[in-house]
Amino acid sequence: MEKIQINVPRTITFVKANNTKLNNSLHVQYHRKQYDLVMAVDKTKLKLPADLPEKWNTGITYETKIDQHSALSADTAKLKKKDAERKDQLIHIFLTIRAQERSHKEDVRDAALRLAATLHPYEKIYKLPYEMESGRLLSMEDDIKTMTAEITALGLADAFENLKKINTEFEALHVRRRTGDADGKLPQAVEIRPQTDAAFDAVCQYIQAAYLSAASDDDRALIDQLVDRMNQTSRDFKTMQRSLTASHRKDNKKKPGEKKKPRKKPDDGPDIRLPEDGNQPKKPEGGGGGKQPETPKPGGAGEGKKPETPQPGSAGTGGTGGTGGGGPEIHLPEE
């Protein structure tokens, strides 16, 4: 049989990095790495339009700013931590005052009572919104200016000074976050990311076309090397994303030793409770050690005798006159 071989031109393919699954930081870093690889090659060899790399870089620049802005929002975590610090300091101050109200030293006790009366309106201000709490703390600073002696008597001078320091640091963080939000005015990541991806896809298509129309084997080898490096970059970022996903899943797994929640009964089902062993009817007492009374066999003792009809109230009836002579003593279970 004759062998037939069709010489089909070799093509190149790109490995996809699942861009939509990359978080913002990885997404912009991925594009930056790919951009650097492409820009290191002569653009005339790749036959890229002059403005395409610029458009791609515009998307990367915006994403970089968005990522930096989201890093600025890390101040939110610092803000919460600083707010917790001033709450703890406030609680420490008021617990100390409350404890010293019962001091055996009269001067300390009186100082605590005077300070408690003055600061009573501020006792729960840590529950207020940030701005209101900061304002009330500044008001409290004014109120305690005339109570230096009482504060010194209770040993709270350092605590009040530290509270003032914490509140100043909190306000600095709060202002920085607020002004950062106002100055940002950046597009959302969900808006710019698809455009950056589209520019990258266009670059890849031009590179594929350049490979097919390459003027020499050297140009083709150059593009081959570029695509290999770009594909390796995609694989690396896919691995990073998988590692992050696996780490999140591991953190969200139920810890060992956690008990399953009991299944709830259907609301319309009957509430059925089985009796416990201690509430079971007792077995008959007397001869036989708990054996069941035997049923007289036909032809046995007393056969042929007509049983006497017991009178109401007499022994042997099921009435109120007592227990039956030969029957077992039956105890009803208690409620």
Side-chain angles (χ1 to χ4, degrees), residues 69 72 75 172-185:
H69 187 68
L72 183 65
D75 282 344
L173 279 172
H174 204 192
V175 170
R176 188 168 77 184
R177 190 186 70 164
R178 190 187 302 114
T179 54
D181 289 343
D183 295 342
K185 296 182 180 178

Side-chain angles (χ1 to χ4, degrees), residues 198-210:
F200 175 60
D201 288 342
V203 168
C204 291
Q205 289 185 33
Y206 273 101
I207 292 174
Q208 287 174 322

Side-chain angles (χ1 to χ4, degrees), residues 125-137:
I125 61 173
Y126 58 83
K127 295 182 178 180
L128 297 174
Y130 288 161
E131 295 286 4
M132 292 181 67
E133 183 180 353
S134 297
R136 296 288 175 86
L137 283 172

